[in-house]
Amino acid sequence: MNEKLKQVSELVAKANDMFYNKFKTVDTLMGIMDKALRKQGMNADAITLDCVALDKKIVVLLHDHKPDTVDIALGNKAGDIFSSTEFNIGELSETVILAILEKNFIAQE
């Protein structure tokens, strides 16, 4: 696992832990794709956060050709992407990721 993927995945894991401590009834699954995308011809790694009960997924993409940015895509388990936002890697933090988790995995009234 390369250093950038390791750093971002640790941030995502900590934010996911914070999310679980705050919302104990919402289960999430975290995955790291450090070879699957490359086997498909995409020069990128990804971290996924799934909320199976809501059929929602957050994908954090780290493209080789954009070393200073991270794309965060929101979608579902089928692979449909509803939106994507680019973040400067220096702006990414546990707090930012936690806010994304809350916005997407907590039912809006």
Side-chain angles (χ1 to χ4, degrees):
M1 179 184 311
N2 70 48
E3 190 59 32
K4 181 178 171 185
L5 178 60
K6 182 179 181 205
Q7 289 174 350
V8 175
S9 65
E10 287 174 1
L11 273 179
V12 171
K14 288 176 185 174
N16 191 49
D17 288 346
M18 292 166 58
F19 178 80
Y20 180 74
N21 286 331
K22 195 170 181 180
F23 303 100
K24 293 193 184 294
T25 60
V26 181
D27 290 325
T28 60
L29 298 170
M30 181 178 157
I32 296 175
M33 300 171 69
D34 62 342
K35 293 180 182 73
L37 295 177
R38 294 181 186 284
K39 287 180 181 176
Q40 295 173 23
M42 187 177 202
N43 292 327
D45 297 311
I47 302 153
T48 60
L49 287 162
D50 296 300
C51 185
V52 176
L54 298 176
D55 188 34
K56 291 186 176 182
K57 176 181 274 203
I58 298 169
V59 180
V60 180
L61 284 165
L62 301 106
H63 295 278
D64 292 352
H65 68 280
K66 298 192 298 185
D68 297 326
T69 62
V70 174
D71 292 330
I72 298 183
L74 309 176
N76 63 23
K77 286 288 289 171
D80 300 320
I81 301 296
F82 304 121
S83 68
S84 180
T85 305
E86 187 175 280
F87 290 85
N88 181 300
I89 199 154
E91 297 171 352
L92 205 60
S93 67
E94 294 165 20
T95 305
V96 169
I97 297 167
L98 177 60
I100 293 168
L101 284 162
E102 289 179 4
K103 182 177 180 186
N104 293 284
F105 292 166
I106 300 302
Q108 304 297 315
E109 302 280 329

